[in-house]
């Protein structure tokens, strides 16, 4: 009897998790980046914040826009604006994302970056998820010095 109840609960949780990725679902989220958990030429402590909004245009496919900034040495060092497409897998909560972003740094340096990302959605309930991810922001103007590999920790709300 306990096994049957466990199987029913597992199927219910799986069905609930899949409902978040349905067409016309909306998404808002925020991510923290930096804390010297990235690989780049920058040696100072940097902290970043990304604010995101998205829309599922098909099942498992979300278009996402984001706006962010990085803070270092007691000032905002750069501003980011970009767009991505995410693909979610039902089996294990992974998502794959890719897109482009425009970066404006405080000392008059502008850049375009390609932004692949691999993440995981851990659902706290039907609407809220914790989203750790690994990203690689690839600079199109100076790939050797301005590209960055790092870790994000985010929270997402699906409605």
């Amino acid at each position: 009897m306990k096994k049957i109840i466990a199987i029913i609960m597992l199927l219910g949780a799986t069905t609930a998790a899949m409902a978040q990725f349905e067409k016309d679902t909306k998404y808002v989220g925020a991510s923290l980046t930096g804390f010297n958990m990235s690989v780049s030429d920058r040696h100072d402590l940097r902290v970043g914040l990304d604010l995101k909004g998205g829309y599922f245009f098909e099942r498992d496919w979300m278009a996402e826009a984001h706006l962010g900034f990085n803070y270092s040495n007691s000032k905002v060092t750069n501003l980011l604006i970009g767009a991505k497409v995410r693909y979610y897998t039902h089996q294990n909560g992974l998502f794959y994302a890719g897109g482009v972003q425009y970066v404006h740094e405080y000392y008059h340096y502008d850049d375009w970056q390609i932004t692949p990302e691999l993440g995981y959605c851990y659902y706290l309930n039907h609407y809220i998820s914790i989203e750790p991810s690994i990203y690689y922001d690839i600079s199109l103007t100076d790939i050797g010095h301005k590209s960055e590999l790092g870790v994000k920790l985010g929270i997402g709300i699906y409605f």
Side-chain angles (χ1 to χ4, degrees), residues 10-21 125-126:
L10 181 62
L11 288 174
T14 304
T15 304
M18 289 181 184
Q20 288 128 344
F21 308 136
N125 62 27
H126 184 69

Side-chain angles (χ1 to χ4, degrees), residues 2-63:
K2 288 181 184 179
K3 288 183 182 181
I4 293 172
I5 292 173
I7 290 171
I8 291 171
M9 290 176 65
L10 181 62
L11 288 174
T14 304
T15 304
M18 289 181 184
Q20 288 128 344
F21 308 136
E22 294 298 321
K23 185 176 178 178
D24 297 328
T25 301
K26 295 161 189 69
Y27 167 87
V28 292
S31 295
L32 288 175
T33 63
F35 300 108
N36 284 356
M37 294 184 298
S38 62
V39 179
S40 71
D41 278 354
R42 300 175 175 113
H43 300 290
D44 51 345
L45 176 65
R46 291 177 15 149
V47 177
L49 176 66
D50 283 339
L51 303 174
K52 303 177 270 190
Y55 178 77
F56 281 83
F57 58 92
E58 285 293 326
R59 182 179 173 161
D60 303 331
W61 290 92
M62 180 177 72

Side-chain angles (χ1 to χ4, degrees), residues 26-33 48-55 62-69 80-86 88 95 97-98 100-101 115 117-121 129-135 151-159:
K26 295 161 189 69
Y27 167 87
V28 292
S31 295
L32 288 175
T33 63
L49 176 66
D50 283 339
L51 303 174
K52 303 177 270 190
Y55 178 77
M62 180 177 72
E64 173 188 306
H66 73 271
L67 176 66
F69 67 91
L80 319 158
I81 187 167
K84 288 185 179 181
V85 174
R86 277 191 189 185
Y88 290 83
F95 68 83
V100 295
Q101 70 182 5
T115 59
E117 184 177 352
L118 172 65
Y120 179 75
C121 291
S129 68
I130 302 294
E131 302 175 349
S133 64
I134 298 171
Y135 67 92
V151 176
K152 292 182 183 179
L153 181 60
I155 186 166
I157 302 171
Y158 299 80
F159 54 97

Side-chain angles (χ1 to χ4, degrees), residues 44-47 69-78 106:
D44 51 345
L45 176 65
R46 291 177 15 149
V47 177
F69 67 91
N70 289 315
Y71 183 81
S72 177
N73 294 330
S74 302
K75 61 185 166 203
V76 173
T77 57
N78 59 16
Y106 74 96

